[in-house]
PDB file of all heavy atoms in Angstrom:
ATOM      1  N   PRO X 526      42.619  56.345  26.157  1.00  0.00           N
ATOM      2  CA  PRO X 526      43.719  57.307  26.005  1.00  0.00           C
ATOM      3  C   PRO X 526      43.963  57.595  24.531  1.00  0.00           C
ATOM      4  O   PRO X 526      43.944  56.688  23.693  1.00  0.00           O
ATOM      5  CB  PRO X 526      44.911  56.587  26.636  1.00  0.00           C
ATOM      6  CG  PRO X 526      44.594  55.130  26.490  1.00  0.00           C
ATOM      7  CD  PRO X 526      43.097  55.008  26.577  1.00  0.00           C
ATOM      8  N   VAL X 527      44.191  58.857  24.223  1.00  0.00           N
ATOM      9  CA  VAL X 527      44.429  59.275  22.844  1.00  0.00           C
ATOM     10  C   VAL X 527      45.780  59.974  22.763  1.00  0.00           C
ATOM     11  O   VAL X 527      46.106  60.811  23.612  1.00  0.00           O
ATOM     12  CB  VAL X 527      43.312  60.208  22.343  1.00  0.00           C
ATOM     13  CG1 VAL X 527      43.638  60.757  20.951  1.00  0.00           C
ATOM     14  CG2 VAL X 527      41.967  59.477  22.320  1.00  0.00           C
ATOM     15  N   ILE X 528      46.555  59.613  21.747  1.00  0.00           N
ATOM     16  CA  ILE X 528      47.860  60.235  21.515  1.00  0.00           C
ATOM     17  C   ILE X 528      47.863  60.824  20.120  1.00  0.00           C
ATOM     18  O   ILE X 528      47.644  60.118  19.127  1.00  0.00           O
ATOM     19  CB  ILE X 528      49.015  59.221  21.653  1.00  0.00           C
ATOM     20  CG1 ILE X 528      49.008  58.568  23.042  1.00  0.00           C
ATOM     21  CG2 ILE X 528      50.355  59.906  21.404  1.00  0.00           C
ATOM     22  CD1 ILE X 528      48.302  57.230  23.101  1.00  0.00           C
ATOM     23  N   CYS X 529      48.092  62.119  20.026  1.00  0.00           N
ATOM     24  CA  CYS X 529      48.177  62.830  18.753  1.00  0.00           C
ATOM     25  C   CYS X 529      49.638  63.091  18.438  1.00  0.00           C
ATOM     26  O   CYS X 529      50.352  63.699  19.243  1.00  0.00           O
ATOM     27  CB  CYS X 529      47.399  64.145  18.840  1.00  0.00           C
ATOM     28  SG  CYS X 529      47.649  65.245  17.433  1.00  0.00           S
ATOM     29  N   THR X 530      50.111  62.626  17.279  1.00  0.00           N
ATOM     30  CA  THR X 530      51.485  62.902  16.850  1.00  0.00           C
ATOM     31  C   THR X 530      51.412  63.874  15.677  1.00  0.00           C
ATOM     32  O   THR X 530      50.797  63.575  14.661  1.00  0.00           O
ATOM     33  CB  THR X 530      52.231  61.610  16.468  1.00  0.00           C
ATOM     34  OG1 THR X 530      51.607  61.010  15.328  1.00  0.00           O
ATOM     35  CG2 THR X 530      52.197  60.613  17.625  1.00  0.00           C
ATOM     36  N   ILE X 531      52.068  65.014  15.812  1.00  0.00           N
ATOM     37  CA  ILE X 531      51.855  66.085  14.846  1.00  0.00           C
ATOM     38  C   ILE X 531      53.127  66.913  14.690  1.00  0.00           C
ATOM     39  O   ILE X 531      53.858  67.139  15.654  1.00  0.00           O
ATOM     40  CB  ILE X 531      50.665  66.971  15.302  1.00  0.00           C
ATOM     41  CG1 ILE X 531      50.284  68.009  14.249  1.00  0.00           C
ATOM     42  CG2 ILE X 531      50.948  67.636  16.651  1.00  0.00           C
ATOM     43  CD1 ILE X 531      48.953  68.707  14.554  1.00  0.00           C
ATOM     44  N   GLY X 532      53.408  67.339  13.465  1.00  0.00           N
ATOM     45  CA  GLY X 532      54.550  68.202  13.209  1.00  0.00           C
ATOM     46  C   GLY X 532      54.260  69.634  13.611  1.00  0.00           C
ATOM     47  O   GLY X 532      53.094  70.039  13.752  1.00  0.00           O
ATOM     48  N   ASP X 533      55.321  70.433  13.764  1.00  0.00           N
ATOM     49  CA  ASP X 533      55.106  71.815  14.201  1.00  0.00           C
ATOM     50  C   ASP X 533      54.373  72.639  13.146  1.00  0.00           C
ATOM     51  O   ASP X 533      53.558  73.510  13.486  1.00  0.00           O
ATOM     52  CB  ASP X 533      56.428  72.477  14.603  1.00  0.00           C
ATOM     53  CG  ASP X 533      57.550  72.294  13.601  1.00  0.00           C
ATOM     54  OD1 ASP X 533      57.322  71.706  12.524  1.00  0.00           O
ATOM     55  OD2 ASP X 533      58.684  72.734  13.901  1.00  0.00           O
ATOM     56  N   GLY X 534      54.606  72.357  11.848  1.00  0.00           N
ATOM     57  CA  GLY X 534      53.869  73.078  10.818  1.00  0.00           C
ATOM     58  C   GLY X 534      52.386  72.796  10.882  1.00  0.00           C
ATOM     59  O   GLY X 534      51.550  73.710  10.827  1.00  0.00           O
ATOM     60  N   ALA X 535      52.024  71.527  10.998  1.00  0.00           N
ATOM     61  CA  ALA X 535      50.615  71.152  11.107  1.00  0.00           C
ATOM     62  C   ALA X 535      50.001  71.679  12.404  1.00  0.00           C
ATOM     63  O   ALA X 535      48.838  72.091  12.434  1.00  0.00           O
ATOM     64  CB  ALA X 535      50.477  69.635  11.038  1.00  0.00           C
ATOM     65  N   PHE X 536      50.793  71.676  13.482  1.00  0.00           N
ATOM     66  CA  PHE X 536      50.272  72.163  14.759  1.00  0.00           C
ATOM     67  C   PHE X 536      49.945  73.643  14.680  1.00  0.00           C
ATOM     68  O   PHE X 536      48.965  74.105  15.265  1.00  0.00           O
ATOM     69  CB  PHE X 536      51.275  71.893  15.879  1.00  0.00           C
ATOM     70  CG  PHE X 536      50.702  72.077  17.257  1.00  0.00           C
ATOM     71  CD1 PHE X 536      49.697  71.245  17.725  1.00  0.00           C
ATOM     72  CD2 PHE X 536      51.165  73.081  18.092  1.00  0.00           C
ATOM     73  CE1 PHE X 536      49.156  71.414  18.992  1.00  0.00           C
ATOM     74  CE2 PHE X 536      50.636  73.252  19.363  1.00  0.00           C
ATOM     75  CZ  PHE X 536      49.628  72.421  19.818  1.00  0.00           C
ATOM     76  N   GLN X 537      50.743  74.401  13.932  1.00  0.00           N
ATOM     77  CA  GLN X 537      50.439  75.815  13.773  1.00  0.00           C
ATOM     78  C   GLN X 537      49.202  76.034  12.907  1.00  0.00           C
ATOM     79  O   GLN X 537      48.493  77.025  13.077  1.00  0.00           O
ATOM     80  CB  GLN X 537      51.634  76.548  13.156  1.00  0.00           C
ATOM     81  CG  GLN X 537      52.807  76.723  14.112  1.00  0.00           C
ATOM     82  CD  GLN X 537      53.894  77.614  13.556  1.00  0.00           C
ATOM     83  OE1 GLN X 537      53.709  78.308  12.557  1.00  0.00           O
ATOM     84  NE2 GLN X 537      55.053  77.600  14.212  1.00  0.00           N
TER      85      GLN X 537
END
Side-chain angles (χ1 to χ4, degrees):
V527 174
I528 302 96
C529 170
T530 64
I531 187 169
D533 48 4
F536 193 65
Q537 287 188 13

